Amino acid sequence: MAKKLFIKTHGCQMNEYDSNRMQDLLGISHGFETTDNEEEADLILLNTCSIREKAQEKVFHQLGRWKKLKDKNPNLKIGVGGCVASQEGDNIMKRAPQVDIVFGPQTIHRVPKLYENVAENKLESVDITFPKTEKFDHLPEQSSDGPTAFVSIMEGCNKYCSFCVVPHTRGNEISRPLDDILKEIEGLAEKGVKEVNLLGQNVNSYRDSKLKTKGLGLSNLIRSSSVIEGIERIQFTTSHPFEFGQDLIDIYQEVPQLISYVHLPVQSGSNDILKKMRRRHSRDEYFEIIDKLKSARSGISISSDFIVGFPGETEKDFLDTLDLVDYVGYDESFSFIYSPRPNTTAKDLEDDVPLEEKKVRLQELQHKLENSALSISRKMVGETRKCLVTNISKKNPGEFQARADNNKVVIFSCSDPSMIGEIIDIEIVEARNKSLRGVAI
Ligand code: SAH
Ligand code: F3S
C-alpha cells in the first residue's frame, strides 16, 4: 500500500508553492500519496512561517497535537520546514523531540533523502543550509491543479527592511535562469494552465544572468511569458516600490495578458516611519508610481500590506497612513500590528506605543481599507467583465468561482465543470464584502 503524506502549510504563497513541490517530489521518490487525514499519515510535514510571533507560536501548538499521533503510531515521521525551521534549526527537536526532520526553504529538495536517513536510523536529519539555486535543479516538473499556477522566479530577499525576518530565514536573493522559468511555464500551459503568478519575495529584483541591461529582468520575463501559447493571464507577487521602474509601468500598456492588479506593499504612509523601516522610498515616490500605474492601465486595482504600531509611530504618522489610503483607493489589503522579530534591527528600537493604541489604530485602518475595497466592488456592479473561471465553490457545488480582470473574486451559478479554465463574460450584479456576485453571459 502506498505511504501517506500529510502536509500542513502556514504563511505565504512561497510556502504553498514549496509544499506543492514537496508533494510532487515525495510522490516520485517514495510513492507517497497525499492525504487530508493526518491520522492515517506515515509522514507529516509542517511548512512554517515566522513573519510574526503569532505565526511562530502556532508551530509548537501544532507539534504538541501531533505528538499524540506519534504515541499511537511510532512509525510516523514528522518533518518541520519553512522559516521557523530555518530560524531555529535543531532547537526545534530540543523543544519538540517528536520531530524527526528539520529542513529550510532552500532544502525542500533534500527532504526525500532526510526522510530515508531517519527511516534507516541514520543521524543526519537537519538541513537548513542555503545552497545556491540547487533547489530548482532537483525538483521534478510541476504538476498542475486547475487553470492557475504559481511559478517561483526568485527566492530570498536582500532588502533587510528593519522589521522583517525574511532575509534571515530565506537567505539572499537568487534568481532562476530565464530559460528554466519559461520552460516551466510552457509545460504548465501544455497541461491547461491559463494564468501564471510569478512568485518571489521581491520579484522586481529578478535578474536574468544573461541579460546585459540591469534592472529589466521582470518586465523582460513578463514579455517572454506573454508569447507562450495558452498563457492568457499573468500576474506577479510581491513587488517592492523601490526599483519599480518605468519598464514595469510600460509593460502594463504593452502586455494585455498582465491583469489589472498589482500588490505593491507600502507598510506606512509616514516618511519618518518609512525611513525607520528602511523601505528606501518616500511617500511621494510611492504616489508617483501609483499615478503612473493608473494612467498606464485605467481601472487598475492596487493592494498593499500595512504595519501599524511600528516603534515610535505617532498619531500624526498614523494619520499619514490613513491619508495615503484615501489617496490610493486600495483594493483588498492586509494589515498587521508590528511584531518584533529575531535578528531584525527594529527589535532593538524603543517601542512606546501602547498595545491598546495599536489595536485601535489597526481597527481604524482595517475599517477604511474594507470600505475602500467595497467601493471598488460597487463601481463594478452593472458592468460586464472578462473573468477566468477557477473552480467550483467549496460551499455550494451549484456555484463557480471566477476572477475578474482586476483579480476580484466573482461567484456565479453554473453546473458545467468544463467551464473551469475558460475566460468568459460575466455581468456583475451584486457587491458583497469579500466577493462579487455575477451572471454568466
Ligand atoms: N516581500 C514583501 C513582504 C513579505 S512579508 C514586501 O516586500 O513587501 C509580508 C508582510 O508581512 C509584509 O509586507 C508586512 O506587512 C508584514 N510583516 C513583515 N514583518 C512584519 C513584522 N515584524 N510585524 C508585522 N508585520 C510584518
Ligand atoms: Fe521583507 Fe522588506 Fe524583503 S518586507 S521580504 S525585507 S523587501
Side-chain angles (χ1 to χ4, degrees), residues 15 66 91 98 127 131 176 238 313 332 369 408 423:
N15 270 10
W66 283 338
N91 280 334
Q98 65 274 34
D127 188 345
R176 289 177 68 193
T238 299
E313 185 188 68
E332 206 180 317
L369 288 168
K408 282 261 193 202
I423 293 183

Side-chain angles (χ1 to χ4, degrees), residues 51-52 163-164 166 201-202 238 240 265 267 279 305-307 336-339 341:
I51 200 79
R52 285 169 291 277
F163 54 83
C164 184
V166 168
Q201 286 298 343
N202 200 359
T238 299
H240 191 298
Q267 316 297 354
R279 290 291 288 182
D305 299 336
F306 295 88
I307 295 177
F336 318 95
I337 288 179
Y338 167 72
S339 168
R341 303 311 295 132

Side-chain angles (χ1 to χ4, degrees), residues 12 14 50-53 156-157 159 161-166 200-204 237-241 263-267 277 279 304-308 310 334-341 344 346:
C12 66
M14 329 289 146
S50 71
I51 200 79
R52 285 169 291 277
E53 201 180 348
C157 183
K159 292 282 177 294
C161 298
S162 65
F163 54 83
C164 184
V165 78
V166 168
Q201 286 298 343
N202 200 359
V203 287
N204 41 355
T237 345
T238 299
S239 52
H240 191 298
H263 183 63
L264 194 55
V266 68
Q267 316 297 354
M277 288 178 164
R279 290 291 288 182
S304 176
D305 299 336
F306 295 88
I307 295 177
V308 299
F310 189 78
F334 306 92
S335 42
F336 318 95
I337 288 179
Y338 167 72
S339 168
R341 303 311 295 132
T344 61

Side-chain angles (χ1 to χ4, degrees), residues 36-262:
D36 294 333
N37 177 7
E38 56 196 33
E39 309 247 343
E40 64 173 22
D42 301 284
L43 172 62
I44 293 183
L45 297 177
L46 179 60
N47 202 355
T48 64
C49 169
S50 71
I51 200 79
R52 285 169 291 277
E53 201 180 348
K54 266 216 181 98
Q56 185 166 341
E57 279 167 4
K58 283 200 331 205
V59 172
F60 289 98
H61 291 153
Q62 181 62 69
L63 291 173
R65 287 192 288 273
W66 283 338
K67 182 166 184 309
K68 295 192 189 87
L69 291 182
K70 197 150 180 174
D71 292 341
K72 271 196 269 172
N73 171 14
N75 289 327
L76 169 66
K77 304 290 178 228
I78 299 178
V80 180
C83 286
V84 177
S86 171
Q87 190 179 289
E88 301 294 323
D90 57 6
N91 280 334
I92 302 238
M93 284 155 165
K94 287 185 192 132
R95 209 173 135 185
Q98 65 274 34
V99 172
D100 303 283
I101 302 169
V102 175
F103 56 97
Q106 298 305 333
T107 46
I108 58 167
H109 58 292
R110 296 185 185 162
V111 170
K113 182 74 195 143
L114 294 170
Y115 171 71
E116 261 167 45
N117 285 355
V118 293
E120 292 166 12
N121 289 320
K122 287 191 193 150
L123 281 177
E124 211 168 325
S125 57
V126 178
D127 188 345
I128 52 164
T129 54
F130 295 128
K132 287 207 168 183
T133 64
E134 183 196 293
K135 167 175 170 181
F136 291 100
D137 296 336
H138 291 81
L139 289 173
E141 202 174 302
Q142 189 180 170
S143 64
S144 73
D145 179 21
T148 74
F150 291 128
V151 174
S152 174
I153 64 167
M154 53 90 62
E155 295 259 329
C157 183
N158 293 350
K159 292 282 177 294
Y160 290 91
C161 298
S162 65
F163 54 83
C164 184
V165 78
V166 168
H168 308 278
T169 58
R170 295 194 84 104
N172 278 343
E173 282 166 8
I174 305 169
S175 293
R176 289 177 68 193
L178 180 71
D179 293 344
D180 290 4
I181 298 171
L182 295 177
K183 216 183 286 161
E184 182 171 345
I185 298 177
E186 278 163 14
L188 289 166
E190 276 162 23
K191 292 180 188 136
V193 166
K194 300 281 173 65
E195 177 185 66
V196 286
N197 192 336
L198 307 174
L199 206 58
Q201 286 298 343
N202 200 359
V203 287
N204 41 355
S205 292
Y206 176 74
R207 301 271 178 273
D208 173 27
S209 49
K210 278 192 235 134
L211 199 71
K212 294 281 178 291
T213 331
K214 245 186 119 188
L216 300 180
L218 180 61
S219 55
N220 188 51
L221 170 58
I222 291 170
R223 187 176 297 112
S224 307
S225 309
S226 71
V227 296
I228 294 176
E229 206 183 310
I231 295 302
E232 298 185 37
R233 284 190 179 197
I234 301 170
Q235 55 173 304
F236 53 85
T237 345
T238 299
S239 52
H240 191 298
F242 179 74
E243 293 180 322
F244 204 101
Q246 187 61 40
D247 60 307
L248 270 181
I249 311 261
D250 294 341
I251 204 87
Y252 276 92
Q253 283 183 324
E254 188 190 323
V255 174
Q257 291 95 328
L258 200 54
I259 63 166
S260 297
Y261 167 80
V262 61

